[in-house]
Amino acid sequence: MSPRAPLPPPPPPVGIRSWPDREALLADRAAVLDALVRDHVAPGRLALLWLWGALCALGWLLVGTALITFEESYDVISAAVGVVIVAMGVGCVVPAVIVVVIGLRRDGRIRRLLDAWGGLDRDPARDAALRMPGVSLAWLLMSFALCAVGLYACVAVPAGGGLNGEPYGLAVLVMGLGVTAWIVGLIGLVKAFAHRRWVLRVLAGAPAPEPLFSVGGGAHR
């Protein structure tokens, strides 16, 4: 979710491919897929996603605090302080949302590139390192836990009377934090399932396509 290197281009069309042999193709494929997988589900990406989620949660916290201030006090000074706190909250929420949306669009392009480069051939020896089962499991479990916490804050706390008699601003605060946690967790779940689906479908799924090169190194096409 932070500024990153440009994504690699898709593989060239069949008619203009210029790899000298299959091994050169597999080496380029492995290097590109390694960079794409790390850009998609590396542990640092999970930390960055949670960091932007935390910034958004901080913004909601400030907005909820400002609403509580408006409810509890009506003097000019308190109102001015509340406006400043709201501005600070919006200043946290808006950049976090923009960066996450940009990251989601980038993730979509990464998944298309993974399909394109992964479909060129099969290379079980190099592909084993791309599966990253432990990392995808961490994404899955941590994101599921965050989704559960968010849903509890959005549904169970208000429905259970946990906010009865409390200021309206507190309800906004709690539910805003819950929605933020739920959305961030859902993004993580989608990425974990997308990576696992790619592994099963591309790396371990259908048999390899017709080789681009013959045993003697001559191109079939």
Side-chain angles (χ1 to χ4, degrees):
M1 304 298 178
S2 61
R4 314 177 197 176
L7 293 175
V14 174
I16 61 172
R17 290 175 184 171
S18 58
W19 286 288
D21 52 36
R22 182 169 182 263
E23 182 57 33
L25 180 150
L26 293 178
D28 285 350
R29 173 185 177 275
V32 172
L33 290 181
D34 181 71
L36 291 173
V37 168
R38 294 183 183 281
D39 203 346
H40 192 221
V41 293
R45 298 307 173 195
L46 178 60
L48 280 172
L49 176 62
W50 281 43
L51 177 63
W52 289 111
L55 181 62
C56 188
L58 175 61
W60 273 113
L61 181 64
L62 292 172
V63 171
T65 301
L67 292 178
I68 294 173
T69 301
F70 291 145
E71 288 183 271
E72 295 182 344
S73 178
Y74 298 96
D75 59 274
V76 176
I77 295 178
S78 297
V81 171
V83 170
V84 172
I85 296 175
V86 167
M88 293 172 60
V90 172
C92 292
V93 171
V94 172
V97 170
I98 291 174
V99 171
V100 170
V101 170
I102 292 173
L104 291 176
R105 296 179 63 181
R106 182 184 176 93
D107 287 341
R109 295 196 297 272
I110 288 175
R111 286 192 284 271
R112 290 191 291 272
L113 288 171
L114 285 170
D115 288 340
W117 281 94
L120 284 177
D121 208 327
R122 296 291 185 271
D123 187 5
R126 292 186 178 103
D127 289 351
L130 301 174
R131 301 191 177 201
M132 303 179 72
V135 173
S136 59
L137 181 61
W139 272 86
L140 179 65
L141 295 179
M142 295 178 69
S143 299
F144 179 81
L146 193 61
C147 274
V149 171
L151 286 176
Y152 178 80
C154 290
V155 178
V157 173
L163 299 175
N164 285 347
E166 298 295 337
Y168 174 75
L170 182 61
V172 173
L173 189 155
V174 171
M175 296 190 69
L177 294 177
V179 170
T180 300
W182 182 77
I183 292 176
V184 172
L186 185 61
I187 292 171
L189 286 176
V190 169
K191 293 186 70 166
F193 281 116
H195 177 71
R196 184 60 181 168
R197 179 175 176 269
W198 175 75
V199 168
L200 295 176
R201 179 170 50 83
V202 176
L203 300 188
E210 180 184 355
L212 179 64
F213 301 95
S214 67
V215 175
H220 283 295
R221 305 171 191 174

